[in-house]
Amino acid sequence: MNQDYIKPNNWSIIEEGFDAKQVKSSESLFSLGNGAMGQRANFEEQYSGDTFQGSYIAGVYYPDKTRVGWWKNGYPEYFAKVLNAPNWIGINVLVNGESLDLCTCKSVDGFKRELNMQEGWLSRYFKATLQNGIQVEVSAKRFLSLDLDELGAIQYKVVPLNNDAEIIFQPYLDSGITNEDTNWDDKFWDTLNVRHKNHQAFIEAKTMKTDFHICTFMESKVFINGKTVLIEPHIKADATYASFSYAHPVKKGESYTIEKYGGYVVDTNHDKKQLVAASKKVLKTALKKGFNLLLNDQKQAWAKIWDMADITIDGDVKAQQGIRFNIFQLNQTYLGKDSRLNIGPKGFTGEKYGGSTYWDTEAYCIPFYMATKDQKVARTLLEYRYNHLDKAIENAQKLGFKNGAALFPMVTMNGEECHNEWEITFEEIHRNGAVAFAIYNYCRYTGDYSYVPEKGLEVLIGIARFWQERATFSSDKNQYVILGVTGPNEYENNVNNNWYTNYLAKWCINYTLEQIEKVESDFASDFSRIAKKVKLSKKELALWKAVADNMYFPYSEKNQVYLQQDGFLDKELISVENLLKSERPINQKWSWDRILRSPYIKQADILQGFYLFEDQFSNEELERHFDFYEPFTVHESSLSPCVHSIQAAKLNRMEQAYTFYLRTSRLDLDDYNHEVHEGLHITSMAGTWMSIVEGFGGMRVTDNKLSFTPKIPKQWNGFSFKVNFRNHILKISITQEEVIFEMISGNDFEILVNNKALMLKNKELKAVI
């Protein structure tokens, strides 16, 4: 049974009624972020029930020593972990000496939590009766500033309803925190200094091993009925903690409010000796503006993002809520401001996957950022990998590769591989292909080829070298094979000739050879520089070409389909519809041995390849492979439903496409995989965007032109989206009757609609029936 407590709403995520069993799920769903930091939606006040406390700072991590029973050569020494950072949001609330705690209250009524995605804030409201009989009404609102991305702000109001009461607010900072996800229960933080003066407090701390220095800070103001009251706080501090107590008698019906400003400054952006000074500067700006003006700035910043990124859906509130939730979380996670950062699969919403960078960025996220932001953002994501090329070469060397072969990491913070499950670390090498494909995809979409001669070609050469060395010549088959791999479908490990991996290897080599030829011809000085630097030779290129021209692909003549890998047909081919619901998801109910012997697919392998390289296969081939593999797919990867939705739309199977769309867009809201308490699936949210724009909108780049084959589910009256294509901003509105193209800005240019040319002029509408 999927969860269904989130109320349908076009612009907000809303929970009504307090249920302790939902607290950890809601902490994920209502998470906040601003690209530089983020936090789970933990309560400000004390909560003694089951909770997953988490605040995170982008780029700050710890190398948690690998924990395995049997060490294998080549294992990374550590698994990078995004760190649960010192807590700045806490505000203990005491009413006549009793702590406000929703876990111990006599009753909690009217509880409502709202994440307003349009304006970028989180609020809570409830009435609670404490054990001492005092009933209070609580209203809280907080946000993480987009404009001042080191700052967060909280407004917390308490009204005693049935009696006068002394209310104490205790805002605090706490660096005595631990990670929920840790291998050895190491101490991650070393608190260096706790200081406080007037209404300000600062905790300076550094990470163990990685030596990131941060300062967590706070300052608070209190109000009675909206008017400032000056209270000299009682201060409590120890080696890892600082709190201020603001006590005030409050009459029945009066409001007592605290506004708390806090956040983090980091030595990646400031001199480590000046962190307190930098914190004071942030606080000065915050106090000068005040909560309401800062909130107004927040609304305007989000309005600017939504103006370009919004997708509207008319007639289907759950679908509308789903896509906006996905777009909102993507923008909370990454805004493209800092080339040192990337997009973790859980963003700032949990600790699974260590907050690291995966191949998800290149395969799923880059299209979203290319189309909804300036192309510089996507280029920054490509440069992230270029900046780590030397580390990718080191990663390959550790596994025995030579001659500058590069293996980009499965999981990384700084370019080093830090994933420590052998069947992924050593075998899920298709991630190399995703990095190369992203370069191709960027050039194809933006028309900016300059990246290739400047930086991209070196990356492609390293990747091509890897594939040539990784392939083995089989004298039995008289072809090149790739042995011992794991494809995107992680329910089949250590297989031979995974079709997707083999196809990527062939494509990467051919694409690299084409770019070498083009750069040599058109950018001679760049080519000379690169060829000299990497010691490229004609003899080496011939070796690559031999591998690409003679790659083996497993194929079934009987079924007229490529096989996932050698031996796939030896499995007992029982379709998913014959699985008992009580056995789903199989990754939580079955042994790993049973999963590996089954035909069940965690996510598309062959269909992933057909998605990336659809222009190299006919619709008939796609249909045949879709019909063969989809019945065996359990979609227990968040990255699976979006690809299937796009392909079902391409095949004009709109009911299937719509079902897959709902699954991908509401994966977390409805908790399909029963794991949302661990955090959200941020990178797959970009796939949700693709399922509308590329699936229903049918957007592609065809013959160097933007093209559309629009379709609409019967459940919708209409939908619309904007894209930025080579500095032309277009709005596409699709209804059951017509498609309207509007050029918002840019010079006149031609697009293709259902393979027919359509000229668009600036500020002009064109309708296609």
Side-chain angles (χ1 to χ4, degrees):
M1 175 68 182
N2 298 330
Q3 70 184 17
D4 60 356
Y5 70 88
I6 300 299
K7 304 298 177 188
N9 184 283
N10 284 330
W11 274 111
S12 288
I13 307 303
I14 295 171
E15 172 187 12
E16 293 178 347
F18 178 69
D19 183 345
K21 294 191 295 294
Q22 291 163 189
V23 166
K24 288 174 81 171
S25 292
S26 292
E27 286 173 342
S28 295
L29 292 171
F30 291 81
S31 292
L32 290 175
N34 65 4
M37 62 175 168
Q39 58 195 204
R40 291 171 59 81
N42 307 117
F43 299 156
E44 290 88 357
E45 76 277 0
Q46 179 183 330
Y47 181 68
S48 57
D50 194 16
T51 179
F52 175 0
Q53 180 78 39
S55 293
Y56 309 102
I57 306 169
V60 173
Y61 67 94
Y62 175 87
D64 203 7
K65 190 176 185 305
T66 295
R67 184 167 194 159
V68 290
W70 177 28
W71 192 269
K72 299 177 180 66
N73 287 334
Y75 252 140
E77 293 183 8
Y78 68 90
F79 193 113
K81 297 283 172 65
V82 63
L83 292 188
N84 190 2
N87 176 11
W88 68 264
I89 71 164
I91 306 171
N92 292 326
V93 181
L94 289 88
V95 181
N96 283 356
E98 183 182 328
S99 182
L100 174 61
D101 181 343
L102 293 188
C103 190
T104 61
C105 286
K106 281 184 179 179
S107 65
V108 180
D109 302 304
F111 183 93
K112 180 181 179 181
R113 180 169 8 200
E114 177 180 0
L115 180 65
N116 186 302
M117 301 180 289
Q118 188 171 22
E119 299 180 350
W121 49 261
L122 168 66
S123 71
R124 266 188 313 140
Y125 172 87
F126 59 87
K127 293 178 182 177
T129 303
L130 282 70
Q131 293 294 332
N132 61 19
I134 302 293
Q135 185 183 39
V136 293
E137 179 184 68
V138 175
S139 308
K141 182 174 283 187
R142 79 175 186 246
F143 60 91
L144 298 181
S145 172
L146 291 186
D147 290 345
L148 304 169
D149 63 13
E150 296 166 322
L151 176 73
I154 301 169
Q155 186 181 71
Y156 195 102
K157 179 167 71 175
V158 179
V159 178
L161 297 177
N162 63 348
N163 220 324
D164 299 348
E166 182 191 57
I167 297 176
I168 301 174
F169 288 132
Q170 292 179 339
Y172 65 85
L173 302 178
D174 180 13
S175 66
I177 39 81
T178 58
N179 262 46
E180 179 129 330
D181 175 25
T182 172
N183 287 344
W184 299 94
D185 295 323
D186 281 2
K187 181 186 176 189
F188 292 159
W189 291 99
D190 185 12
T191 302
L192 304 174
N193 201 342
V194 177
R195 51 175 107 176
H196 48 80
K197 188 174 182 182
N198 298 326
H199 301 276
Q200 296 182 337
F202 309 91
I203 294 185
E204 292 178 274
K206 72 178 181 72
T207 60
M208 310 298 278
K209 295 186 180 179
T210 42
D211 203 39
F212 290 102
H213 286 244
I214 73 156
C215 179
T216 310
F217 58 86
M218 72 170 182
E219 183 169 357
S220 303
K221 294 177 71 174
V222 292
F223 308 81
I224 287 284
N225 290 335
K227 293 183 179 177
T228 304
V229 286
L230 298 176
I231 301 172
E232 196 61 37
H234 173 72
I235 299 169
K236 178 184 174 185
D238 61 27
T240 61
Y241 184 90
S243 76
F244 295 160
S245 289
Y246 296 92
H248 202 283
V250 186
K251 291 188 170 63
K252 172 183 169 182
E254 284 190 335
S255 67
Y256 186 38
T257 302
I258 182 170
E259 290 181 356
K260 180 180 182 181
Y261 304 94
Y264 309 104
V265 295
V266 190
D267 70 343
T268 51
N269 301 314
H270 303 275
D271 184 321
K272 67 178 66 173
K273 295 176 182 175
Q274 298 297 319
L275 295 182
V276 171
S279 300
K280 287 181 176 179
K281 191 174 178 182
V282 176
L283 286 171
K284 184 178 180 182
T285 302
L287 269 291
K288 186 177 179 182
K289 283 210 162 194
F291 187 88
N292 291 330
L293 270 180
L294 286 167
L295 181 59
N296 192 54
D297 291 347
Q298 182 80 346
K299 293 174 183 179
Q300 289 180 25
W302 272 105
K304 189 175 179 182
I305 289 172
W306 284 116
D307 181 58
M308 188 63 217
D310 191 23
I311 291 179
T312 68
I313 297 173
D314 181 18
D316 188 341
V317 176
K318 280 198 163 189
Q320 177 69 86
Q321 184 181 40
I323 188 59
R324 282 188 173 141
F325 181 66
N326 286 248
I327 294 168
F328 178 71
Q329 293 294 352
L330 283 162
N331 279 287
Q332 287 205 125
T333 303
Y334 184 81
L335 290 163
K337 293 179 180 178
D338 188 338
S339 63
R340 297 167 297 181
L341 303 179
N342 209 286
I343 306 149
K346 293 287 180 193
F348 300 116
T349 71
E351 293 163 22
K352 193 175 178 182
Y353 306 124
S356 304
T357 301
Y358 282 61
W359 65 285
D360 308 17
T361 292
E362 281 75 23
Y364 294 86
C365 298
I366 278 180
F368 169 79
Y369 287 101
M370 282 195 301
T372 65
K373 299 196 183 299
D374 187 284
Q375 70 185 41
K376 291 175 186 172
V377 173
R379 184 169 171 134
T380 296
L381 287 170
L382 296 186
E383 288 172 348
Y384 178 89
R385 295 296 192 182
Y386 173 78
N387 293 338
H388 291 165
L389 177 57
D390 288 345
K391 291 284 189 185
I393 292 170
E394 279 182 36
N395 293 335
Q397 286 172 343
K398 289 174 184 176
L399 301 184
F401 293 86
K402 301 180 177 70
N403 189 37
L407 177 59
F408 281 89
M410 184 66 187
V411 172
T412 194
M413 284 289 189
N414 64 357
E416 276 185 299
E417 176 64 76
C418 60
H419 193 283
N420 46 36
E421 294 173 30
W422 67 270
E423 69 276 12
I424 292 175
T425 308
F426 303 156
E427 298 194 342
E428 209 163 318
I429 54 177
H430 62 83
R431 74 252 193 175
N432 244 18
V435 172
F437 183 83
I439 295 172
Y440 160 74
N441 204 14
Y442 172 81
C443 295
R444 172 177 66 171
Y445 186 86
T446 65
D448 172 22
Y449 189 76
S450 67
Y451 179 74
V452 175
E454 289 173 20
K455 298 178 178 179
L457 187 59
E458 289 179 58
V459 172
L460 293 171
I461 288 168
I463 289 171
R465 284 173 164 169
F466 171 83
W467 288 123
Q468 182 264 313
E469 283 192 49
R470 187 61 169 78
T472 303
F473 184 75
S474 165
S475 54
D476 179 59
K477 290 182 170 63
N478 200 31
Q479 287 183 290
Y480 285 92
V481 296
I482 299 182
L483 308 176
V485 301
T486 299
N489 171 31
E490 292 168 342
Y491 288 177
E492 291 169 316
N493 298 155
N494 198 26
V495 300
N496 294 335
N497 296 309
N498 170 262
W499 179 87
Y500 176 71
T501 305
N502 286 24
Y503 198 90
L504 269 177
K506 176 187 175 78
W507 179 86
C508 285
I509 290 172
N510 284 333
Y511 179 64
T512 305
L513 290 169
E514 288 170 15
Q515 302 325 300
I516 287 172
E517 192 175 310
K518 182 174 174 63
V519 172
E520 186 175 17
S521 168
D522 299 349
F523 303 88
S525 62
D526 284 302
F527 179 78
S528 177
R529 168 181 58 83
I530 294 166
K532 184 179 178 182
K533 180 180 178 182
V534 305
K535 299 181 174 61
L536 198 63
S537 70
K538 298 291 183 186
K539 182 180 178 183
E540 182 182 8
L541 302 188
L543 286 174
W544 298 0
K545 194 167 189 316
V547 172
D549 287 351
N550 202 19
M551 183 66 71
Y552 165 73
F553 298 105
Y555 187 79
S556 167
E557 292 289 349
K558 177 184 174 184
N559 297 289
Q560 294 286 290
V561 294
Y562 292 107
L563 296 178
Q564 288 253 120
Q565 72 273 334
D566 286 348
F568 184 80
L569 293 181
D570 294 334
K571 293 173 179 277
E572 192 176 5
L573 299 177
I574 300 170
S575 62
V576 172
E577 65 183 6
N578 293 306
L579 276 176
L580 295 174
K581 284 188 178 178
S582 62
E583 298 195 354
R584 303 284 301 278
I586 63 172
N587 64 10
Q588 296 174 23
K589 303 295 178 67
W590 284 14
S591 70
W592 198 241
D593 167 72
R594 188 179 178 190
I595 288 173
L596 293 178
R597 288 185 285 109
S598 81
Y600 302 122
I601 299 169
K602 183 183 181 186
Q603 75 177 81
D605 258 21
I606 284 184
L607 295 181
Q608 178 78 31
F610 271 62
Y611 163 68
L612 293 181
F613 305 110
E614 67 173 12
D615 57 339
Q616 298 176 29
F617 302 97
S618 68
N619 257 27
E620 291 73 26
E621 286 175 296
L622 172 61
E623 188 167 34
R624 210 159 51 238
H625 287 80
F626 190 93
D627 288 343
F628 185 80
Y629 284 108
E630 201 285 319
F632 300 120
T633 306
V634 289
H635 301 292
E636 288 173 12
S637 163
S638 64
L639 301 173
S640 186
C642 59
V643 170
H644 284 77
S645 179
I646 293 165
Q647 292 178 330
K650 183 177 171 66
L651 295 171
N652 215 26
R653 300 180 181 181
M654 295 303 289
E655 201 58 36
Q656 245 185 328
Y658 174 76
T659 300
F660 282 128
Y661 163 75
L662 268 192
R663 175 156 184 163
T664 185
S665 70
R666 298 190 64 86
L667 179 74
D668 292 317
L669 291 175
D670 295 341
D671 198 12
Y672 276 95
N673 290 343
H674 308 292
E675 59 187 13
V676 76
H677 58 281
E678 298 176 340
L680 306 178
H681 295 86
I682 300 298
T683 48
S684 75
M685 291 175 172
T688 303
W689 178 89
M690 294 192 308
S691 67
I692 290 185
V693 174
E694 298 180 8
F696 302 140
M699 187 179 84
R700 303 288 190 276
V701 179
T702 307
D703 298 330
N704 206 32
K705 291 180 181 176
L706 198 61
S707 72
F708 298 88
T709 51
K711 293 169 179 151
I712 182 169
K714 69 181 183 185
Q715 291 87 349
W716 298 355
N717 299 325
F719 69 101
S720 72
F721 58 90
K722 284 182 184 175
V723 294
N724 181 355
F725 179 73
R726 302 182 185 179
N727 298 317
H728 299 88
I729 296 180
L730 282 79
K731 182 177 181 181
I732 298 92
S733 304
I734 301 167
T735 69
Q736 296 290 350
E737 292 78 34
E738 64 180 1
V739 184
I740 297 173
F741 294 91
E742 180 182 1
M743 174 88 87
I744 304 292
S745 68
N747 300 323
D748 300 354
F749 87 124
E750 190 176 81
I751 64 171
L752 299 175
V753 183
N754 297 324
N755 296 317
K756 293 181 181 175
L758 181 70
M759 178 61 72
L760 296 179
K761 297 181 182 295
N762 197 11
K763 310 294 185 190
E764 184 178 82
L765 298 177
K766 285 277 182 77
V768 178
I769 297 173

